[in-house]
Amino acid sequence: MKHLRLRIHGRVQGVCFRAEAQELARELGLVGSVRNAADVSVEIEAEGEEEALKKLLAWCKVGPDGARVDRLDASWKEVAEPSYFDFRIV
C-alpha cells in the first residue's frame, strides 16, 4: 500500500475540485482527504493501491471542468496500514 500527497496549484478552488476528487478517489477504492489550503491550492492525502493512486494523480493534472492546473507537487511513501477509513473533504 502507498501514500500519495498532492498539492495542486492554479485555479483549483471554487471549481468543484474537492468534490470530484472525492468521488473519483472513492470509485478507485482510495482512502484519505482533500482540502482547500490557505494559499488557494488544494491538498490531497490518499492511500491505496499504486495503480489507483496513479489514476488519481493523472486526473489531478487536469482537474474538473473550469479548473486550470498550473503546478502539481507529489510525494510518495510506503505505508503498512492505512491512516484513514474513508475519503473525506475536510
Side-chain angles (χ1 to χ4, degrees), residues 27-69:
E27 287 174 12
L28 294 170
L30 300 172
V31 295
S33 65
V34 58
R35 72 180 192 96
N36 284 339
D39 68 355
V40 298
S41 66
V42 169
E43 295 178 341
I44 296 176
E45 300 275 346
E47 295 177 349
E49 297 300 320
E50 184 173 358
E51 288 306 311
L53 290 167
K54 285 180 179 178
K55 288 178 183 177
L56 177 64
L57 174 61
W59 179 85
C60 287
K61 290 179 179 179
V62 177
D65 289 341
R68 185 193 72 245
V69 177

Side-chain angles (χ1 to χ4, degrees), residues 1-3 31 47-48 77-85:
M1 177 173 285
K2 299 239 182 193
H3 178 101
V31 295
E47 295 177 349
K77 68 180 181 180
E78 296 285 334
V79 292
E81 298 282 328
S83 303
Y84 304 90
F85 299 102

Side-chain angles (χ1 to χ4, degrees), residues 6-18:
L6 299 170
R7 183 162 228 158
I8 304 107
H9 302 267
R11 184 170 180 253
V12 294
Q13 291 190 11
V15 293
C16 296
F17 204 105
R18 293 177 303 154

